[in-house]
Structures are given as C-alpha cells and as structure tokens.
Amino acid sequence: MVGLLVVSHSAKAAEGIREIAAEMGSEAAPIAAVGGDPDGGIGTDATAIADALAALDADEVVVLVDLGSAVMNAELAIEMSDKTVVIADAPVLEGAVEATVAATSPSATLDSVREAAERAGGTSKR
C-alpha cells in the first residue's frame, strides 16, 4: 500500500490537510502529517519528517510539501529512510486529496499516486 506524508511549515496546517485528505479517501490510505520546527514554531525539521516516515504503515510513500524549503528537509529525511519515497511536485492540499483518493485503489502504485497528486496542479477552482 502507498502512504502519504503531508509536510508543512505549520503543524496545524499539516494536520488540517491530513484531516481533509483522510476524509476524502475514507481513511483507507495511510496518511500522516508533520510540521513546524522543533520548538513548535513555523518551519520544518528533517528529523521529525524522518520519524513520521518511519511511523507510517507503508513501504512506499508520496510526500507533499507546502513550500520549497520543506523539500530540502524532506530530501534529508528520505536519505535516512529505508522506504521508497518520492516528493510530489503538487499543491499540498489539492495534491493530498487527489493522492489519497488514488492510493485507495487496489491497483495503486507509487507512480500512479504521485501522478494523481501532480495532476492536481492543473485543477481550476472555478
């Protein structure tokens, strides 16, 4: 099964996005959220991201990030992980929702879930 990890500079934002995505995916796909710096402020932390990856019940994981600097910490965390992990180039909320829905498919693969997240970048809000 493919899991998802939402990484945000805000712990509250990460958890809110996880909550919305989990609702849309009927909580069938493993999805976790991590955000904030080690002191509880705004930022990201590679160790916290690595811990979230390790705790996620999935061997393959698609990571969605809110801002570019979160990519650097996610990449560091991926280097520490023994899982197969990719970072989707997608809007974090819309991408998380689309990826979660895609991950619930019995035929879901790491690539198909990442691609679903990335297609969300072209979604119109009108």
Side-chain angles (χ1 to χ4, degrees), residues 9-69:
H9 281 71
S10 164
K12 290 179 183 179
E15 182 52 36
I17 292 165
R18 188 213 65 78
E19 182 180 13
I20 292 168
E23 178 72 24
M24 297 301 290
S26 304
E27 301 200 27
I31 180 169
V34 62
D37 69 14
D39 298 323
I42 299 296
T44 59
D45 176 55
T47 301
I49 297 168
D51 291 346
L53 282 171
L56 197 56
D57 187 23
D59 293 328
E60 298 181 318
V61 181
V62 174
V63 177
L64 294 116
V65 299
D66 63 353
L67 298 170
S69 61

Side-chain angles (χ1 to χ4, degrees), residues 54-123:
L56 197 56
D57 187 23
D59 293 328
E60 298 181 318
V61 181
V62 174
V63 177
L64 294 116
V65 299
D66 63 353
L67 298 170
S69 61
V71 172
M72 291 183 301
N73 279 323
E75 288 173 340
L76 288 172
I78 291 167
E79 289 177 16
M80 295 184 251
S81 178
D82 59 353
K83 296 182 180 192
T84 304
V85 184
V86 295
I87 300 172
D89 184 12
V92 65
L93 174 57
E94 293 89 340
V97 169
E98 294 297 329
T100 302
V101 171
T104 64
S105 168
S107 61
T109 65
L110 186 66
D111 286 336
S112 70
V113 173
R114 178 190 48 79
E115 289 167 1
E118 291 177 350
R119 277 194 305 274
T123 303

